Amino acid sequence: MKQSLTFLLVSLVVFFSCKENTLGAPEDLNESQENSNSTPKNIILLIGDGMGISQITAGMYRNGNKLELERCNTIGLIKTNSKKELITDSSAGATAFATGKKTRNGMISQAMEDSTNYKTFVEYAEENKKATGIVVTSTVTHATPACFYAHYPRRYDANEAISEQFVNSGVDVLIGGGKKYFETRKDGRNLLQELTEKGYTIPDTLTSNFDTKEIFKLAYLYSPTQPGKRVFSEGDEAPSRGPILPLATQKAIDVLKKDTNGFFLLVEGSQIDWGGHNNDSEYIINEMLDFNESIKIALDYADQNGETLVIITADHETGGYAIIEGELDGSSLTVGFSTKHHSASMIPVFAYGKGAKNFSGIYDNTQIFYKMMEAFGNDLTK
Ligand SMILES: [Zn+2]
């Protein structure tokens, strides 16, 4: 009881002090952009899987009491329940973002009643001749990214079925783990070969020097299955993946921005959730700071480009995580967890850039889809 009260208090304090700080910020280019009714050309959606208020708060204290998120003047809250369950999983959560429809846990952008496919935001964007991209720190076939380009009734054991659907998705940039599901498949197909034939560049490594000038389609699968953590810890099976998320976010933007019709980019900090499931606070914080660096890349691009909307949110909270004690400088934080699973608490939405104002208020997670559609000039709510 004490833990959940602390959690609530911390949440409220952080939520309101964040709003106050940003309301007092000087009016700048961004402020006028945010109020603009005209539609942004590009949307970057960043999802911190399992990133509740306490995950954000812990990252903030560790980062010297600041985060890139504080640049956002528009803040909202979403309700995260799935169609059947109070506590959502990542597939029902991402289906809501990607299609505007609720389904039950475990389903990848399909109806729970009869497995009818729900059309996804990526499919709409492709139809509207936008470039699209997906950048994650899980396998690219994992629940959150999969819901944006694939349809399947079960999220587990679906890797090969989902990677197969990617080939014809039209998605221009794909960066994440799961090379095995493309290359060493039961059906003997080599999907990387098929992607090469479709014009994708498939590099062996991605460095800051990687030249994207001549590249319009890019698939970089940087680990055979699930990628390692940002910061390696004793006993981990996979090596550290390093700062691939911020780098990949930059490279994806560099490729996608060449499309004169604009682009949609999904970036997921996938492993904040895994830190929560492990009840491992250091894991959560390291992944949160990795995500923070990626948010910076997106916000800086919005500043520079002037026609970009950036939305940062999460599918759900993981771990019932709370900060109970600690040092003011964030060097040591005593935390508690109330579950090894997800929790039901509402999740913040931060928006920045052109058309951001539409994301304030309290609403359902499905509204993220409709608000993004509206931003791109397709109002499906009417
Ligand atoms: Zn999870």
Side-chain angles (χ1 to χ4, degrees):
M1 185 62 192
K2 191 177 160 219
Q3 227 179 57
S4 55
L5 266 178
T6 316
F7 175 67
L8 181 68
L9 276 173
V10 169
S11 304
L12 285 172
V13 166
V14 169
F15 179 65
F16 285 111
S17 62
C18 189
K19 268 208 121 162
E20 213 167 81
N21 281 346
T22 50
L23 279 175
E27 199 167 319
D28 54 15
L29 174 74
N30 180 53
E31 186 73 14
S32 56
Q33 275 186 40
E34 287 190 345
N35 287 315
S36 166
N37 285 327
S38 57
T39 58
K41 199 167 139 188
N42 316 308
I43 297 178
I44 305 173
L45 173 63
L46 296 108
I47 298 176
D49 200 302
M51 183 186 74
I53 287 282
S54 287
Q55 283 80 354
I56 294 170
T57 310
M60 178 189 77
Y61 284 128
R62 182 63 61 82
N63 196 46
N65 199 20
K66 61 182 188 305
L67 281 179
E68 295 296 326
L69 285 172
E70 295 176 48
R71 291 162 66 181
C72 301
N73 290 317
T74 302
I75 298 160
L77 285 173
I78 48 170
K79 307 172 189 185
T80 64
N81 62 284
S82 82
K83 188 159 187 177
K84 216 176 141 205
E85 297 95 352
L86 178 70
I87 315 285
T88 190
D89 78 339
S90 291
S91 55
T95 296
F97 293 154
T99 73
K101 296 186 175 69
K102 296 268 196 194
T103 193
R104 71 167 160 71
N105 288 350
M107 297 197 81
I108 307 283
S109 291
Q110 286 188 338
M112 63 177 258
E113 296 80 8
D114 56 4
S115 296
T116 312
N117 288 353
Y118 287 148
K119 192 167 175 179
T120 74
F121 192 75
V122 162
E123 290 167 332
Y124 281 106
E126 284 290 329
E127 236 176 53
N128 285 285
K129 305 274 179 278
K130 301 271 187 189
T132 56
I134 289 173
V135 172
V136 296
T137 54
S138 62
T139 60
V140 295
T141 52
H142 209 239
T144 307
C147 286
F148 281 82
Y149 67 85
H151 308 271
Y152 207 72
R154 297 176 310 278
R155 60 177 290 193
Y156 296 104
D157 304 320
N159 291 309
E160 294 196 1
I162 289 168
S163 53
E164 188 181 341
Q165 291 185 42
F166 177 81
V167 177
N168 295 315
S169 68
V171 173
D172 302 280
V173 175
L174 183 70
I175 303 177
K179 195 171 189 180
K180 179 182 150 185
Y181 312 124
F182 288 74
E183 219 178 19
T184 348
R185 296 167 55 84
K186 289 187 195 86
D187 62 9
R189 281 171 70 182
N190 183 339
L191 302 185
L192 293 184
Q193 184 58 40
E194 293 180 29
L195 288 173
T196 308
E197 284 157 18
K198 281 177 174 279
Y200 284 81
T201 297
I202 303 180
D204 291 328
T205 53
L206 195 69
T207 62
S208 52
N209 297 329
F210 182 76
D211 187 358
T212 55
K213 216 177 297 152
E214 304 297 325
I215 294 175
F216 294 89
K217 282 182 177 290
L218 175 67
Y220 175 53
L221 297 162
Y222 58 85
S223 65
T225 54
Q226 295 293 8
K229 298 172 183 173
R230 169 68 189 260
V231 177
F232 182 83
S233 60
E234 202 63 39
D236 287 352
E237 276 173 33
S240 159
R241 65 172 191 273
I244 184 66
L245 191 67
L247 174 66
T249 302
Q250 184 65 62
K251 295 298 174 187
I253 291 171
D254 290 344
V255 172
L256 298 171
K257 72 182 182 189
K258 289 184 276 189
D259 193 311
T260 50
N261 296 315
F263 68 82
F264 169 70
L265 172 63
L266 169 73
V267 176
E268 188 195 35
S270 319
Q271 297 193 28
I272 300 165
D273 176 62
W274 305 351
H277 284 292
N278 288 0
N279 284 185
D280 181 341
S281 186
E282 282 306 301
Y283 190 3
I284 290 173
I285 291 171
N286 289 330
E287 294 299 327
M288 191 61 223
L289 297 180
D290 182 66
F291 192 52
N292 183 53
E293 286 173 37
S294 311
I295 292 169
K296 180 179 191 310
I297 304 284
L299 297 183
D300 287 353
Y301 180 70
D303 277 345
Q304 169 209 328
N305 169 260
E307 293 186 287
T308 300
L309 167 65
V310 181
I311 306 145
I312 306 126
T313 189
D315 44 3
H316 53 74
E317 193 276 341
T318 307
Y321 181 53
I323 302 163
I324 301 159
E325 262 177 34
E327 297 298 326
L328 253 182
D329 64 5
S331 57
S332 89
L333 296 173
T334 306
V335 302
F337 291 91
S338 55
T339 175
K340 290 254 179 189
H341 303 289
H342 304 163
S343 73
S345 53
M346 286 198 287
I347 290 295
V349 179
F350 302 84
Y352 188 84
K354 203 167 189 176
K357 279 282 181 282
N358 202 23
F359 287 80
S360 68
I362 299 181
Y363 46 91
D364 198 78
N365 58 358
T366 50
Q367 290 302 310
I368 295 285
F369 168 85
Y370 293 106
K371 288 173 189 294
M372 293 197 301
M373 286 299 285
E374 209 181 326
F376 267 170
N378 303 299
D379 192 349
L380 297 183
T381 57
K382 287 176 186 148

